Each structure stands twice: as structure tokens, then as C-alpha cells.
């Protein structure tokens, strides 16, 4: 994800599906932090994104 953001940054679509996948990933906290740092207000935080993050077995509590 860091490579994509570094190379394609503003051309990379940050959709709800992308954010849900990032939040549910085994290192979701790091990926979400990266997305917020790089794209900030463009990151959609929907009910489904929050559910995906909460279901993350590794760091969902955070």
C-alpha cells in the first residue's frame, strides 16, 4: 500500500471497498494509519468500514 500511495498517490482511488479491505487486513492498523496520513479526509469511514475494523482479530480493538 505504501508503494502504491508513493507512486500513484493522487490517482489511487480510495473507495469504501479499499478501506474495508485495509481495515480487515492482518496489519490493518498500520495500513489504516498510512491511508489516513496520506489521504486524510478522502478516506471514507462508513458503518461497514468500522465493522471490518472491529472484526480484525489481530488489532480490531485498537
Amino acid at each position: 500500500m505504501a508503494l502504491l500511495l508513493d507512486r500513484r498517490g493522487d490517482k489511487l482511488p480510495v473507495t469504501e471497498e479499499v478501506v474495508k479491505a485495509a481495515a480487515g487486513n492482518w496489519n490493518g492498523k498500520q495500513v489504516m494509519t498510512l491511508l489516513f496520513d496520506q489521504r486524510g479526509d478522502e478516506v471514507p469511514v462508513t458503518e461497514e468500514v468500522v465493522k471490518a475494523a472491529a472484526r480484525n482479530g489481530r488489532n480490531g480493538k485498537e
Side-chain angles (χ1 to χ4, degrees), residues 37-54:
D37 287 346
Q38 296 283 322
R39 301 294 290 273
D41 292 338
E42 296 175 48
V43 178
V45 180
T46 65
E47 182 177 350
E48 293 303 313
V49 168
V50 173
K51 286 179 183 177

Side-chain angles (χ1 to χ4, degrees), residues 11-28:
K11 293 181 173 99
L12 184 69
V14 182
T15 65
E16 180 182 22
E17 290 302 313
V18 167
V19 179
K20 282 176 16 184
N25 191 291
W26 70 273
N27 61 347

